[in-house]
Amino acid sequence: MSKKYNISVIPGDGIGPEVTSAAIKVLETAASKREIEIYTKELLAGGAAIDKYGIPLPQETIYGCKDSDAVLLGAVGGPKWDNVEPDKRPEKALLGLRSGLDLYANIRPVVLHEGLEAASPLKNPGKVDLVIIRELTGGIYFGKTGFYQSGDKLSDGTVKGKIGFDTESYSEGEINRILKIGFGFAMKRRKKLTLVDKANVLVTSRMWRTLATQMSFDYPEVELDFLYVDNASMQLINRPSSFDVIVTSNLFGDILSDEAGQIVGSIGMLPSASVGVIGKPGMFEPIHGSAPDIAGQNKANPLGTILSCAMMMRTVLGEEEVADDIENAVKKTLAQGYRTGDITFVGDNNNTKLVGTVEMTQAVIDNL
Ligand code: IPM
Ligand code: MG
């Protein structure tokens, strides 16, 4: 074997361990067929780390990730840790990894796979193939936040009392670097870029618009348009197949990507790549959460995580063939009718077979 990659695996909580172990099996098999060796080391984050160390993101997890070629993450969080201090919530681990590894660009492809039309709640979804480029280390997720007391009164006389605040702020530099990624994707795709913002209300959104307009002169082939986020959420349902590349802020990208997940049948199908500085490790994860209600029951859809491994191979490791092999095996598996519960629907006439995580994974491996 010639090439070797070191992958840090953070299984996390809930269905995280099931989907990551499934995806790693697929990745190892696909890679070995192309003479590539995959070495994995497991690291703790989220609830699993709280249970062991009392904190969601131990330093050694950050060091471990930095010291690898790429990171695969399952999901973090669950009701067990809902009452821990805000600073120690499992989700803090995810945010800490994103900022700690400087992963400012979150790439979320949204594809309606052939055979899954029945799983979409839309009557005629058409051919959906878009990508959401979400800014990942700025905006309201990382802005100034806190509480203070106020003795002031509201117009009806009630005292304001405790006031909580979160702040949306973006620098030109942060906006420009994510826009550049967006234009880059548009050039490689259908050359359509939609900036989603709330420029009718927010100062930061107006900055995004101005900078996008300026940058568009460097990409004359790309058709740039703008949508307010409320309208975008409507248009995604109304004309999903008209979108190519969507670029947006951290919060709007979070919200719209869940909506997009539903359009293509299940959020369980969506992979993601979080990348930053070239040459530094990226992090790859399904966009779904830890789904504690089905954890440990062999019910989770592993395809979002398996497809995240394909993104890992393509996006940062440059192993196009392995990525293609994995994606083709997933397509074939769906064409053969394998379905986990989340993508099983009444009236689906594709001769479907309801299977669990393990069987779905084995089917993908058999199709490699
Ligand atoms: C996501 C998730 C996270 C986010 C949560 C778990 C903090 O919803 O990756 O989309 O909001 O970014
Ligand atoms: Mg989300």
Side-chain angles (χ1 to χ4, degrees):
M1 300 243 181
S2 50
K3 282 194 225 162
K4 298 177 179 148
Y5 292 115
N6 291 308
I7 311 295
S8 290
V9 182
I10 304 178
D13 312 315
I15 59 172
E18 291 163 78
V19 293
T20 47
S21 78
I24 286 296
K25 280 193 199 119
V26 173
L27 178 62
E28 282 171 348
T29 313
S32 78
K33 286 183 192 272
R34 297 279 182 186
E35 309 281 301
I36 294 167
E37 276 179 282
I38 301 290
Y39 290 96
T40 58
K41 65 168 179 260
E42 225 172 89
L43 299 170
L44 289 182
I50 297 176
D51 288 351
K52 183 143 185 218
Y53 301 108
I55 49 168
L57 184 60
Q59 265 305 328
E60 69 180 61
T61 296
I62 293 263
Y63 291 143
C65 290
K66 284 188 174 164
D67 188 33
S68 53
D69 295 308
V71 181
L72 179 71
L73 184 136
V76 294
K80 183 175 173 196
W81 307 280
D82 270 352
N83 296 319
V84 300
E85 285 166 52
D87 262 4
K88 291 200 177 135
R89 285 187 66 89
E91 290 81 358
K92 279 276 169 191
L94 202 48
L95 303 186
L97 281 164
R98 289 171 181 171
S99 65
L101 300 174
D102 206 1
L103 306 171
Y104 64 84
N106 186 211
I107 297 147
R108 299 187 158 185
V110 180
V111 175
L112 177 53
H113 287 271
E114 216 168 297
L116 287 193
E117 296 80 5
S120 172
L122 301 186
K123 265 186 289 182
N124 289 309
K127 190 178 170 348
V128 183
D129 179 2
L130 60 93
V131 57
I132 299 178
I133 312 270
R134 168 190 179 195
E135 198 290 327
L136 202 60
T137 51
I140 200 161
Y141 274 60
F142 292 93
K144 265 204 185 128
T145 176
F147 294 106
Y148 61 94
Q149 285 293 331
S150 169
D152 293 350
K153 287 183 179 158
L154 298 169
S155 55
D156 65 0
T158 36
V159 175
K160 283 186 179 171
K162 188 175 178 179
I163 296 181
F165 63 95
D166 297 286
T167 324
E168 174 88 351
S169 86
Y170 268 114
S171 65
E172 281 181 335
E174 282 175 304
I175 299 171
N176 275 329
R177 67 180 180 178
I178 192 76
L179 285 174
K180 201 165 166 197
I181 299 223
F183 277 104
F185 265 82
M187 284 301 288
K188 285 193 239 128
R189 293 173 50 102
R190 303 194 305 277
K191 302 196 168 59
K192 253 201 94 185
L193 183 70
T194 305
L195 177 68
V196 172
D197 61 32
K198 189 69 189 170
N200 49 348
V201 178
L202 304 176
V203 166
T204 45
S205 285
R206 289 195 278 274
M207 279 174 69
W208 281 75
R209 278 202 183 201
T210 306
L211 295 170
T213 307
Q214 278 168 14
M215 196 174 286
S216 69
F217 295 114
D218 298 337
Y219 299 88
E221 286 167 67
V222 176
E223 184 196 326
L224 171 68
D225 65 358
F226 306 99
L227 281 179
Y228 299 139
V229 62
D230 46 352
N231 188 14
S233 70
M234 193 162 68
Q235 299 308 330
L236 265 176
I237 300 280
N238 190 34
R239 49 173 178 91
S241 57
S242 72
F243 289 93
D244 180 16
V245 182
I246 292 175
V247 179
T248 192
S249 65
N250 206 340
L251 182 64
F252 296 161
D254 177 47
I255 298 167
L256 291 181
S257 54
D258 272 32
E259 184 189 356
Q262 199 55 51
I263 292 170
V264 297
S266 166
I267 195 172
M269 293 297 302
L270 293 203
S272 83
S274 302
V275 295
V277 182
I278 293 167
K280 296 248 176 91
M283 187 163 77
F284 300 81
E285 50 173 320
I287 82 156
H288 62 67
S290 61
D293 54 322
I294 57 161
Q297 299 169 39
N298 192 33
K299 282 185 179 165
N301 183 349
L303 296 181
T305 320
I306 291 171
L307 291 170
S308 298
C309 287
M311 287 191 85
M312 174 196 289
M313 288 291 120
R314 173 170 293 120
T315 317
V316 291
L317 304 182
E319 300 292 351
E320 292 279 342
E321 290 173 335
V322 182
D324 287 345
D325 292 348
I326 294 174
E327 285 167 1
N328 289 332
V330 167
K331 276 192 202 135
K332 210 163 154 195
T333 304
L334 290 169
Q336 288 164 345
Y338 289 95
R339 301 284 187 273
T340 42
D342 59 317
I343 47 174
T344 301
F345 282 83
V346 186
D348 187 344
N349 50 14
N350 286 305
N351 262 330
T352 56
K353 306 180 251 292
L354 176 62
V355 292
T357 315
V358 173
E359 296 74 23
M360 181 66 107
T361 307
Q362 193 54 49
V364 174
I365 291 173
D366 293 342
N367 281 323
L368 279 167

